[in-house]
Amino acid sequence: MEFDIPTWIKVGAYAGSGLAIGLGAIGAAIGEGYTAAQATAAISRNPARSGEIFKSMLVGQAIAESASIFALVVAMVLLFTTFQSDSFIMVWAVLASGLCMGLGAIGAGIGAGFPAAAACEGIGRQPGISGRLTTNMLIGSAVCQTPSIFALVIAFILLFTGLDNNPLSPTWAAVLGAGLATGLSAIGAGLGSGLVAASSCEGISRQPTSATVMTNSMLLGQAITQTTAIYGLLISFILLFKAHPATESLAPAMALLGSGLCMGIGGIGPGIGEGFTAQAAVRWMAREKDSIGDLTRTMLIGMAVAESTGIYAMVISLILIFVI
Amino acid sequence: MAIEGADLVKAAAFLGAGLAMGLGAIGPGVGEGITAAKACEAIGRNPKEAGLLTRTMLVGQAVSESTGIYSLVIALLLLFVV
């Protein structure tokens, strides 16, 4: 059986569309479910505040939903756009685009659920500061969404920048690797940032006077947690926009695919681990004001060590692209 | 395109190097993060021992790092030696 290229592109686009929304729905559903569970518990403890808690739950869930809405948009674009191309690269690009967005939405969806849940609990505990808590939750969950926005950017670049003029081998592998690098590395960063934001909301509800310190240290912790997602984005950009010389052999293509996989998978662990670290540090900064300096220092040292394997992964990725 | 044996072996080595370092980075990343989280918690509970706790954290993380370094070594071996 021989099929023409437009048929293969349709095959890739429909498969990519299913992957985008199928994978992309996982995170938001878990995150929002967790928020609803904690909101229900908070209402049972403090029924008089059910209105505020309910409102805060809905706002938090709406933000957690945004990652899966990105996935829905990409899935729709893949379904209803006719991609004009006479190259098999487009087949890989549509598939990689769906994979990238689907994987990239998992972490952000789960992560954004944690601060929303903590805010609901906090309003139950300290109804007086619901405004400050909601603001902190909004900032925290917005930062959780950044890795999914990276994934959206790469998904659209894959679909609309016209990589067709490049040689099929090894560009097909570079395209797939670019999607996997950003998509996979977004999982850890999204999840980790959510953990940090949750403990910052918890801290504000326990110690309303420490609100500024909580927001600042949350942003510091989240920024470091995001770094591996940024490495993933960087590797994706290099894979997409570096000129790869045409080749007949398999090895250079596998080097590019391996590079994307290496950075993508390697970015997951440090993101989650650094999230745990900053979560604990921020939680104890709220309780022990006098040791904020010590806590920040230990947090930064601990995160730097946890980051090291992410940096090894980036080094191997860069060797696979530039040296091999 | 015709794929030769040597080419296939090289291709597998490159893909294997990426997978080795990628998968190998998950465990140390999460584990060292948990260590640092517990160290921060312990400093919160007992701020006077911050120095001792940070030192213990670093030693523990260094041991936990070792599997990440094994992955790096294997990835480099796959890339340059094998």
Side-chain angles (χ1 to χ4, degrees):
Chain A
M1 280 190 294
E2 281 290 317
F3 301 115
D4 55 354
I5 290 174
T7 308
W8 276 115
I9 291 179
K10 274 222 170 310
V11 170
Y14 292 166
S17 172
L19 283 170
I21 191 61
L23 293 168
I26 297 175
I30 296 178
E32 288 163 27
Y34 180 69
T35 307
Q38 299 300 97
T40 313
I43 290 176
S44 82
R45 263 181 237 127
N46 195 350
R49 294 289 165 177
S50 66
E52 278 168 73
I53 295 173
F54 184 67
K55 208 166 63 191
S56 162
M57 176 189 90
L58 285 181
V59 174
Q61 286 181 322
I63 301 186
E65 185 80 13
S66 58
S68 71
I69 295 176
F70 297 160
L72 183 68
V73 169
V74 170
M76 291 284 196
V77 168
L78 284 169
L79 283 185
F80 296 117
T81 312
T82 310
F83 297 99
Q84 297 293 349
S85 174
D86 49 9
S87 162
F88 272 104
I89 292 174
M90 201 64 212
V91 181
W92 292 99
V94 288
L95 192 65
S97 166
L99 256 179
C100 177
M101 189 62 244
L103 292 168
I106 295 175
I110 303 179
F114 295 142
C120 291
E121 268 190 316
I123 292 173
R125 198 181 289 140
Q126 291 267 13
I129 51 153
S130 67
R132 188 66 183 77
L133 251 180
T134 308
T135 311
N136 191 66
M137 175 194 81
L138 289 175
I139 300 173
S141 10
V143 178
C144 293
Q145 297 297 330
T146 46
S148 74
I149 297 173
F150 295 166
L152 185 70
V153 169
I154 293 295
F156 277 132
I157 288 177
L158 282 167
L159 291 181
F160 298 116
T161 37
L163 302 154
D164 309 355
N165 298 328
N166 299 306
L168 174 59
S169 174
T171 308
W172 69 270
V175 161
L176 194 58
L180 287 170
T182 298
L184 287 167
S185 66
I187 296 176
L191 250 169
S193 305
L195 294 170
V196 187
S199 71
S200 143
C201 288
E202 186 196 320
I204 291 179
S205 76
R206 284 183 196 278
Q207 295 283 348
T209 48
S210 67
T212 314
V213 177
M214 286 295 97
T215 308
N216 290 346
S217 48
M218 170 185 82
L219 287 174
L220 175 65
Q222 285 187 317
I224 302 177
T225 308
Q226 302 277 340
T227 47
T228 45
I230 297 173
Y231 299 163
L233 187 70
L234 178 77
I235 295 292
S236 292
F237 276 132
I238 295 174
L239 283 170
L240 287 177
F241 295 118
K242 182 184 175 290
H244 305 292
T247 172
E248 278 300 303
S249 51
L250 193 61
M254 283 304 129
L256 297 177
L257 181 60
S259 163
L261 268 173
C262 179
M263 190 61 247
I265 303 174
I268 298 176
I272 299 178
E274 287 165 20
F276 282 134
T277 307
Q279 180 191 31
V282 169
R283 176 179 293 147
W284 282 89
M285 280 178 205
R287 299 189 195 178
E288 286 287 334
K289 274 207 194 61
D290 298 334
S291 2
I292 287 179
D294 277 340
L295 282 169
T296 310
R297 206 183 54 218
T298 308
M299 175 186 89
L300 289 177
I301 299 173
M303 286 175 124
V305 180
E307 180 83 8
S308 56
T309 49
I311 296 174
Y312 300 164
M314 184 166 69
V315 169
I316 295 291
S317 289
L318 290 173
I319 290 177
L320 279 165
I321 298 174
F322 288 108
V323 181
I324 298 296
Chain B
M1 67 188 175
I3 297 169
E4 290 167 21
D7 183 29
L8 189 65
V9 169
K10 268 235 163 307
F14 292 161
L15 197 60
L19 282 172
M21 190 59 244
L23 292 169
I26 296 178
V30 177
E32 288 164 18
I34 293 176
T35 309
K38 288 287 164 192
C40 289
E41 194 185 320
I43 290 176
R45 285 183 206 274
N46 193 352
K48 280 189 199 127
E49 298 292 349
L52 175 68
L53 289 166
T54 308
R55 210 173 57 215
T56 312
M57 174 191 85
L58 283 175
V59 175
Q61 285 184 321
V63 178
S64 161
E65 179 80 9
S66 57
T67 53
I69 296 174
Y70 299 161
S71 303
L72 181 70
V73 170
I74 294 295
L76 290 172
L77 285 176
L78 279 167
L79 289 180
F80 296 113
V81 181
V82 176

